[in-house]
């Protein structure tokens, strides 16, 4: 089952090159085992309110604790996204994140927003609004603390009615919806127009170069302006230096994350990091 659909279902779309596949340190069959053994672990990267310096929340970023070592999402997501395993992975990450929200509250942290990445592929097969209703009840988490970041790595049509219905139902339930990697690939203005997003997430490739490339700077600046005009939240990822942070803050970008603050951390380290950050700020 796992060997063929990757090629079949993604015909004509961007596929990882054969050299990328050859570089992978696992067999596609391992994914099934990994899911059964709970080897896919959500890490958390802090998100900071750039104006006040307050901790805003965290983005959940999955890592694979493979028996042979840690595997990053870019190395296994293309394979998982090409079949239904993405549904199991999505459910697992959401459940881990909601569990953490409870743990953080019980540890005395202020309520933190949590962002969860969703692949558009197969989104229509996962009854996410129903799943979320069940999970919110189980973990006593409020919908308005949860943001779904949507990317379209493998180019699902933005006209897919089922996806658009799912997203609309989530917004009606007070979840936030973010366009991830804004400005790249399929994450574009037409999506902002057609789908009920209330957050723009500026891609790190623009943030990385905003101080050296006038074009990147212009893209970042106009994305921030666009967010102001639309009345949606603006988040920048990939902030690595104080200068980048200052520039984004001056432009009026609301929220930021990046190695300047921290990389994504395992749950217990995130808790330590957060307690330190709060006591120092
Ligand atoms: P993304 O959602 O755009 O996440 C941002 C990526 O940039 C993350 O890479 C993060 O670790 C990295 N990053 C953040 N700040 C910095 C920085 O200052 N410098 C540098 N060099 N990198 C930074 P990561 O964790 O490898 O994730 C890659 C992509 O995999 C994510 O991009 C997201 O699209 C996807 N992904 C991660 N977790 C999940 C998941 O649970 N479900 C789904 N569907 N996709 C996921
Ligand atoms: Mg993201
Ligand atoms: Mg991104
Ligand atoms: Mg990305």
């Amino acid at each position: 089952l796992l060997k063929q659909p990757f090629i079949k279902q993604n015909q004509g779309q961007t596929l990882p090159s054969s050299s990328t596949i050859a570089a992978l340190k696992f067999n596609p069959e391992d994914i099934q085992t990994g899911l059964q053994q709970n080897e896919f672990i959500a890490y958390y990267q802090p998100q900071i309110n750039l104006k006040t310096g307050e901790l805003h929340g965290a983005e959940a970023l999955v890592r694979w604790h493979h028996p042979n070592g840690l595997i990053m999402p870019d190395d296994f997501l293309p394979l998982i996204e090409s079949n239904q395993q993405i549904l199991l992975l999505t459910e697992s990450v959401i459940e881990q994140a909601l569990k953490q929200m409870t743990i953080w509250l019980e540890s005395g942290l202020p309520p933190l927003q949590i962002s969860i990445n969703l692949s558009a592929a197969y989104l229509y097969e996962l009854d996410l609004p129903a799943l979320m209703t069940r999970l919110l009840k189980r973990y006593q988490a409020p919908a308005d603390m949860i943001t779904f970041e949507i990317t379209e790595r493998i180019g699902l049509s933005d006209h897919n009615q089922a996806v658009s219905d799912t997203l609309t139902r989530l917004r009606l339930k007070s979840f936030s919806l973010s366009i991830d990697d804004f400005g790249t690939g399929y994450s574009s203005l037409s999506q902002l127009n057609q789908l009920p997003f209330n957050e723009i997430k500026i891609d790190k490739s623009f943030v990385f170069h905003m101080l050296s490339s006038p074009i990147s700077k212009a893209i970042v600046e106009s994305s921030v302006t666009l967010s102001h005009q639309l009345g949606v939240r603006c988040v920048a990822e990939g902030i690595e230096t104080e200068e980048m942070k200052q520039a984004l803050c001056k432009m009026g970008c609301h929220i930021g994350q990046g190695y300047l603050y921290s990389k994504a951390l395992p749950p217990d380290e995130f808790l330590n990091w957060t307690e330190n950050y709060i006591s120092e700020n």
Side-chain angles (χ1 to χ4, degrees), residues 146-280:
I146 298 167
T147 300
F148 291 108
E149 300 186 0
I150 325 276
T151 341
E152 293 197 23
R153 219 185 323 268
I154 57 173
L156 188 107
S157 156
D158 43 359
H159 303 296
N160 186 307
Q161 192 59 44
V163 169
S164 138
D165 288 350
T166 297
L167 297 182
T168 303
R169 282 166 62 205
L170 289 170
R171 270 303 286 147
L172 287 172
K173 287 178 182 290
S174 301
F175 293 99
S176 284
L177 298 177
S178 179
I179 304 194
D180 207 344
D181 305 330
F182 188 72
T184 70
Y186 298 91
S187 300
S188 66
L189 293 172
S190 74
Q191 289 192 327
L192 254 187
N193 193 32
Q194 287 162 14
L195 298 168
F197 288 104
N198 60 330
E199 180 182 294
I200 290 176
K201 191 138 184 206
I202 304 173
D203 192 65
K204 60 178 181 290
S205 60
F206 304 119
V207 175
F208 284 161
H209 299 117
M210 63 182 287
L211 298 178
S212 55
S213 149
I215 296 180
S216 295
K217 186 179 180 217
I219 291 172
V220 171
E221 201 153 25
S222 39
S223 301
V224 175
T225 305
L226 183 66
S227 77
H228 292 167
Q229 288 171 349
L230 297 177
V232 302
R233 194 160 61 205
C234 188
V235 183
E237 66 180 18
I239 305 178
E240 294 193 347
T241 66
E242 184 63 32
E243 291 72 29
M244 289 177 189
K245 184 215 125 184
Q246 295 292 349
L248 284 158
C249 192
K250 223 167 121 195
M251 290 174 188
C253 181
H254 311 120
I255 312 290
Q257 66 187 89
Y259 294 175
L260 172 66
Y261 300 103
S262 173
K263 60 183 182 142
L265 300 169
D268 45 335
E269 284 180 37
F270 178 84
L271 185 58
N272 287 339
W273 185 94
T274 301
E275 282 167 348
N276 271 333
Y277 185 86
I278 290 176
S279 71
E280 285 168 10

Side-chain angles (χ1 to χ4, degrees), residues 29-40 64-65 67:
E29 291 80 0
D30 292 354
I31 292 177
Q32 195 61 41
T33 317
L35 284 166
Q36 282 159 2
Q37 309 278 336
N38 299 318
E39 290 171 4
F40 293 89
W64 185 1
H65 286 205

